């Protein structure tokens, strides 16, 4: 690839693997931040090849301004050029051949009574338990979605608990013989989290024994619906049809959506123990909400609420939420706002040309929108903004508070020392404003020298080739400030983190799930930052806030292992660990943090985030004056002897 004057975007290769009606793996090199002018150079993308892959797309991509040239594309699988591979007819599994309910579940559920909800809760538990434990299902011999639709009508006709339980036992028997498992191991004594079988213990004796027999002789090894990503260990949810052709799924498919999601979280979410509310109660709580969702919007809102209950900033509706997006509003205010000191504050103008028309200044406080106080709006809508902690939920909702389907909204605001003032704020289509969600994109150089012999590095635009220059130019500085109030453009925990440790230093360990024993999570060994011999002798100050998420938090952990590191700022997003994609009926797409991330002593980072050594919050007065109060504090720490 060759590029010329690429700015306000990036150039790169695109590789996408699709199957089951959705994207299974994707990379477009955006995180490599390839910009500017570069001569011909070889570039490569590598992805894991999913078993259910049906199509592979490759392309050159240019976003923003500039020119790009591409030549000599080669696509290889396991090192072999696909153009020289012999075509092999792929044998379809029994699950893939089952098309009976492609056009609908034929299930109608309405006027649910308490007993119905209780029975549906049990069925959802059993359905999910069998999905991840029964050997026949693991081999792909059943389309487990469609099996739900086959048993539901007869299950609902059972007259009492005893008849219901016998129905479940007979259903399990019909799935096929379960042979004694010679490879099955008991749950590890040192497991961090263990499978929760208490619900099985509460069943009547016959059903309990049947379910325990399945558990004790559960599937081992390769599984049709679940795997663990190589070299990482986060769950890979396989062969999950998103049914994208039905944006408003029928009763049966909406129930399936709930069953699918609840069980994925129940068995493979590493942070289930950190939720504020008991996950065991969520299935019965959400059955009426999913079944009674009368249209596409209500279905999406039900989905985003249960996603919010797992309290993971990685978990949101990242695809398929068309109606929610419309509901939030297609028009935007020309100002960027953030919650500062618990108040909604104007922090920037999206379009500087509209600055004089807006009637708002930087630092103004918006108190009402269309006659409703900000705090009331937040209280009403916060449940639709999933995140690990409150600062991050406020971060996300702030971007949408000034959206509307109208072209104007009425606001009340405070400016300077004046009383409340009213204003009608004109709104604009998103594309006309240059909207950014968290912070402005930048093509600026990632490092510079500040006064007082202090080096400054932002990870927003850092490139791999910057790291030797940073080490060389900053080696004699009094201190280095690393700004991670952004998402790093390059992975630097080891390449840059090693500069700040004088000896090999542990900084993280993970918890991984177990396909062979769903619900079990065990610790990995510690991962260490190696020393490269030439250690930086000055002070290192790291800046974080609610914009520091995922890789930014992991990178902060690596820098914290340094010999002379101080982390300052405020609560980070509290979502770390490689993500796992989840697809739900209606074309919905969400994710979870797929592995547990912990300090070497076992202390976690999920939800609490990276706890700063010194808490520093921006102030409204500082915003008005254009100050960066975190940066000022960092300089003060370094200058102070």
């Amino acid at each position: 690839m060759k590029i010329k004057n690429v700015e306000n975007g990036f150039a790169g290769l695109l590789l996408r693997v699709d199957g089951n009606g959705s994207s299974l793996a994707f990379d477009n090199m955006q995180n490599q931040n390839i910009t500017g002018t570069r001569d011909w150079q070889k570039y490569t993308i590598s992805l894991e090849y999913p078993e259910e892959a049906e199509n592979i797309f490759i392309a050159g991509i240019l976003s923003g301004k500039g020119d790009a040239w591409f030549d000599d594309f080669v696509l290889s699988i396991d090192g072999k050029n696909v153009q020289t591979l012999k075509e092999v007819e792929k044998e379809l599994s029994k699950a893939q051949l089952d098309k009976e309910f492609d056009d609908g579940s034929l299930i109608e559920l309405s006027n649910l009574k308490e007993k119905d909800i209780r029975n549906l809760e049990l069925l959802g538990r059993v359905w999910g338990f069998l999905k991840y434990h029964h050997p026949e299902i693991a081999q792909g011999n059943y389309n487990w979605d469609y099996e739900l639709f086959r048993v539901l009508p007869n299950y609902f006709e059972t007259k009492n608990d005893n008849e219901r339980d016998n129905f479940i036992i007979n259903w399990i028997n019909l799935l096929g013989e379960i042979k004694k498992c010679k490879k099955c191991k008991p749950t590890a004594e040192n497991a961090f989290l263990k499978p929760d079988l208490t619900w099985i213990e509460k069943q009547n004796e016959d059903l309990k024994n049947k379910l325990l027999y399945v558990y004790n002789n559960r599937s081992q090894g390769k599984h049709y619906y679940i795997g663990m990503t190589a070299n990482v260990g986060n769950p890979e949810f396989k062969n999950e049809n998103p049914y994208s052709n039905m944006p408003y799924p029928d009763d049966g498919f909406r129930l399936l959506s709930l069953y699918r999601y609840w069980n994925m979280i129940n068995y493979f979410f590493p942070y289930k123990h950190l939720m504020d509310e008991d996950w065991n109660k969520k299935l019965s709580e959400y059955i009426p909400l999913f079944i009674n969702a009368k249209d596409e919007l209500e279905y999406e809102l039900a989905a985003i609420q249960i996603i919010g209950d797992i309290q993971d900033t990685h978990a949101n509706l990242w695809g398929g939420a068309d109606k929610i997006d419309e509901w939030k509003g297609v028009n935007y205010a020309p100002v960027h706002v953030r919650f500062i000191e618990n108040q909604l504050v104007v922090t920037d103008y999206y379009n500087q040309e509209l600055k004089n028309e807006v009637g708002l200044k930087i630092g103004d406080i918006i108190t009402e929108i269309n006659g409703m106080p900000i705090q009331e709006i937040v209280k009403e809508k916060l449940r639709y903004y999933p995140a690990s902690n409150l600062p991050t939920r406020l971060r996300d909702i702030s971007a949408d508070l000034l959206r509307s389907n109208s072209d104007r909204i009425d606001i009340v605001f405070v400016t300077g020392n004046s009383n409340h003032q009213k204003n009608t704020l004109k709104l604009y289509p998103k594309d006309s404003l240059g909207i950014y969600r968290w912070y402005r994109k930048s093509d600026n150089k990632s490092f510079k020298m500040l006064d007082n012999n202090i080096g400054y590095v932002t990870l927003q635009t850092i490139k791999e080739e910057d790291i030797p220059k940073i080490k060389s130019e900053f080696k004699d500085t009094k201190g280095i400030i690393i700004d991670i109030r952004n998402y790093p453009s390059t992975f630097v925990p080891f390449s840059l983190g090693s500069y700040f440790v004088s000896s090999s230093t542990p900084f993280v360990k993970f918890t991984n799930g177990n396909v062979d024993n769903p619900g079990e999570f065990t610790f990995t060994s510690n991962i260490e930052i190696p020393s490269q011999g030439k250690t930086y002798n000055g002070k290192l100050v790291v800046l974080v806030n609610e914009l520091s998420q995922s890789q930014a938090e992991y990178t902060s952990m690596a820098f914290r292992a340094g010999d002379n590191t101080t982390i300052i700022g405020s609560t980070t997003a509290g979502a770390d660990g490689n993500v796992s994609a989840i697809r739900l009926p209606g074309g919905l797409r969400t994710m979870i943090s797929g592995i547990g991330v912990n300090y070497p002593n076992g202390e976690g980072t999920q939800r609490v985030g990276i706890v700063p050594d010194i808490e520093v919050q921006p102030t409204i007065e500082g915003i008005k004056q254009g100050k960066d109060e975190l940066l000022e504090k960092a300089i003060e720490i370094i200058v102070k002897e």
Side-chain angles (χ1 to χ4, degrees):
M1 180 173 69
K2 172 184 173 182
I3 62 172
K4 180 181 178 182
N5 299 331
V6 174
E7 60 182 6
N8 300 323
F10 65 96
L13 307 180
L14 180 148
L15 176 61
R16 195 180 88 199
V17 184
D18 287 4
N20 284 335
S22 64
S23 175
L24 304 174
F26 175 79
D27 190 359
N28 64 2
M29 299 176 70
Q30 182 175 2
N31 62 353
Q32 296 189 33
N33 200 31
I34 300 171
T35 57
T37 299
R38 304 188 190 187
D39 204 351
W40 286 106
Q41 188 174 334
K42 181 179 178 181
Y43 294 90
T44 303
I45 294 179
S46 295
L47 293 174
E48 292 288 329
Y49 182 74
E51 287 183 19
E52 58 268 43
E54 296 171 358
N55 298 293
I56 302 173
F57 299 88
I58 61 171
I61 185 170
L62 173 63
S63 170
K65 298 179 180 179
D67 298 297
W69 294 262
F70 303 87
D71 200 4
D72 294 336
F73 278 91
V74 175
L75 178 67
S76 60
I77 298 179
D78 289 338
K80 298 177 181 178
N81 191 324
V82 294
Q83 291 179 287
T84 61
L85 289 175
K86 292 181 180 179
E87 186 175 349
V88 178
E89 190 68 32
K90 187 177 180 180
E91 185 177 346
L92 297 178
S93 65
K94 291 179 181 178
Q96 290 170 311
L97 293 169
D98 185 352
K99 306 290 185 181
E100 183 175 349
F101 298 99
D102 282 4
D103 296 325
S105 71
L106 306 179
I107 301 295
E108 291 186 13
L109 299 168
S110 59
N111 302 317
L112 294 177
K113 300 178 177 62
E114 188 177 331
K115 176 197 169 199
D116 298 328
I117 294 172
R118 191 170 66 248
N119 286 342
L120 286 173
E121 178 190 8
L122 177 60
L123 180 63
R125 283 183 175 275
V126 172
W127 178 87
F129 173 79
L130 295 174
K131 178 178 182 176
Y132 293 123
H133 293 81
H134 199 293
E136 289 293 316
I137 299 163
Q139 291 172 31
N141 290 334
Y142 289 94
N143 181 328
W144 202 235
D145 293 354
Y146 290 1
E147 284 302 310
L148 173 63
F149 304 147
R150 290 191 180 97
V151 302
L152 251 174
N154 292 330
Y155 178 79
F156 239 77
E157 289 179 7
T158 57
K159 297 179 177 62
N160 53 55
D161 290 357
N162 189 54
E163 191 174 322
R164 175 201 66 194
D165 293 351
N166 286 332
F167 178 90
I168 294 173
I169 292 169
N170 290 332
W171 177 35
I172 295 172
N173 290 336
L174 289 171
L175 294 175
E177 180 187 1
I178 301 176
K179 296 179 180 178
K180 284 282 186 182
C181 177
K182 297 178 181 178
K183 296 181 179 178
C184 294
K185 297 177 181 178
T187 299
E189 284 296 322
N190 64 343
F192 177 65
L193 296 176
K194 299 181 179 182
D196 180 6
L197 304 178
T198 53
W199 69 276
I200 294 179
E201 298 292 342
K202 293 177 181 177
Q203 306 307 315
N204 78 34
E205 199 67 20
D206 290 342
L207 180 56
K208 179 180 78 172
N209 290 337
K210 173 60 71 174
L211 293 171
L212 288 177
Y213 181 82
V214 175
Y215 175 75
N216 291 325
N217 299 281
R218 59 193 177 273
S219 63
Q220 299 288 291
K222 188 176 179 181
H223 196 294
Y224 184 74
Y225 287 106
I226 185 68
M228 292 293 172
T229 304
N231 304 318
V232 178
N234 59 303
E236 179 189 358
F237 299 106
K238 304 186 296 183
N239 294 301
E240 297 290 3
N241 194 330
Y243 305 104
S244 301
N245 62 324
M246 48 178 81
Y248 173 54
D250 64 32
D251 291 8
F253 276 98
R254 295 200 305 279
L255 185 66
L256 166 66
S257 181
L258 175 60
Y259 282 2
R260 183 188 287 183
Y261 187 76
W262 188 89
N263 282 287
M264 286 173 168
I265 300 302
N266 194 49
Y267 292 111
F268 297 106
F269 183 49
Y271 298 124
K272 190 176 73 164
H273 62 296
L274 296 179
M275 298 179 199
D276 286 342
E277 298 179 14
D278 186 355
W279 190 244
N280 286 303
K281 298 178 180 178
K282 291 297 172 181
L283 195 51
S284 60
E285 178 185 330
Y286 276 95
I287 286 170
L289 206 60
F290 273 70
I291 295 303
N292 296 332
K294 66 178 184 295
D295 54 31
E296 189 179 344
L297 174 61
E298 288 196 3
Y299 169 58
E300 290 177 9
L301 290 173
I304 205 167
Q305 283 185 76
I306 194 170
I307 289 168
D309 284 343
I310 75 169
Q311 296 171 295
D312 177 10
T313 306
H314 280 142
N316 208 317
L317 272 183
W318 301 116
D322 311 58
K323 295 302 178 185
I324 286 182
D325 203 45
E326 291 175 15
W327 170 71
K328 289 177 178 178
V330 297
N331 294 321
Y332 293 71
V335 292
H336 186 269
V337 292
R338 280 178 64 191
F339 279 96
I340 308 289
E341 297 184 272
N342 296 317
Q343 300 194 76
L344 191 66
V345 179
V346 177
T347 58
D348 195 8
Y349 303 101
Y350 289 128
N351 187 332
Q352 294 294 325
E353 294 177 4
L354 297 173
K355 179 178 177 179
N356 296 327
E357 299 177 25
V358 175
L360 291 169
K361 298 198 294 281
I362 303 299
D364 284 355
I365 303 165
I366 299 174
T367 60
E368 291 183 21
I369 300 172
N370 290 334
M372 194 169 180
I374 294 296
Q375 298 307 323
E376 287 187 24
I377 299 174
V378 169
K379 185 177 179 181
E380 179 185 303
K381 294 188 174 182
L382 202 61
R383 57 185 162 165
Y384 304 123
Y385 287 83
S388 301
N389 51 49
L390 182 58
T392 313
R393 297 178 82 180
L394 292 175
R395 174 199 76 184
D396 290 348
I397 198 173
S398 66
D400 291 337
L401 287 174
L402 299 179
R403 288 175 64 176
S404 176
N405 287 314
S406 171
D407 62 357
R408 282 173 171 76
I409 55 174
D410 294 323
I411 64 169
V412 175
F413 68 101
V414 177
T415 184
N417 297 317
S418 70
N419 295 324
H420 289 73
Q421 298 185 25
K422 294 183 178 180
N423 186 19
T424 297
L425 199 57
K426 187 177 178 182
L427 307 186
Y428 301 83
K430 183 177 183 178
D431 294 343
S432 67
L433 288 176
I435 295 282
Y436 63 92
R437 193 155 185 87
W438 293 354
Y439 49 81
R440 286 191 180 278
K441 285 186 176 180
S442 171
D443 294 325
N444 292 339
K445 185 178 175 183
S446 70
F447 61 98
K448 62 184 177 182
M449 190 70 77
L450 304 179
D451 293 340
N452 300 306
N453 193 29
I454 296 172
Y456 172 85
V457 180
T458 174
L459 298 193
Q460 183 185 355
T461 56
I462 195 167
K463 303 177 179 68
E464 197 64 44
E465 58 262 33
D466 292 344
I467 294 174
K469 299 174 187 174
I470 289 169
K471 293 178 180 179
S472 173
E473 294 184 25
F474 290 173
K475 66 180 187 299
D476 296 321
T477 55
K478 193 166 189 176
I480 296 175
I481 298 168
I482 298 183
D483 195 340
I484 324 184
R485 295 172 294 178
N486 49 60
Y487 194 85
S489 60
T490 299
F491 187 73
V492 301
F494 299 98
S495 55
L496 186 55
S498 60
Y499 188 44
F500 302 104
V501 295
S502 55
S503 60
S504 188
T505 307
F507 80 103
V508 69
K509 65 179 177 181
F510 306 121
T511 56
N512 292 140
N514 186 356
V515 172
D516 293 338
N517 192 13
E520 178 186 270
F521 288 83
T522 52
F523 277 116
T524 65
S525 301
N526 289 336
I527 294 177
E528 299 186 349
I529 296 288
S531 173
Q532 295 185 342
K534 295 180 180 179
T535 306
Y536 180 68
N537 293 319
K539 297 178 181 178
L540 171 64
V541 181
V542 179
L543 311 183
V544 299
N545 65 4
E546 73 276 8
L547 305 181
S548 310
Q549 179 173 321
S550 193
Q551 188 189 133
E553 294 176 290
Y554 185 77
T555 306
S556 300
M557 295 174 73
F559 290 143
R560 174 162 264 165
D563 295 355
N564 194 7
T565 303
T566 303
I567 295 180
I568 73 169
S570 55
T571 305
T572 62
D576 208 348
N578 295 58
V579 296
S580 296
I582 291 175
R583 292 165 181 85
L584 300 174
L588 304 186
R589 181 173 60 85
T590 182
M591 298 190 301
I592 58 171
S593 302
I595 58 175
V597 178
N598 310 267
Y599 288 105
N601 64 0
E603 181 184 343
T605 59
Q606 183 76 1
R607 297 199 62 197
V608 296
I610 305 302
V611 179
D613 300 305
I614 300 173
E615 184 172 358
V616 182
Q617 299 264 14
T619 64
I620 296 173
E621 193 57 38
I623 296 292
K624 289 178 182 178
Q625 296 177 21
K627 291 183 176 182
D628 186 340
E629 291 160 292
L630 271 72
L631 182 59
E632 290 180 0
K633 183 64 176 179
I635 293 170
E636 177 190 320
I637 290 169
I638 292 171
V639 171
K640 187 178 179 181
E641 293 297 338

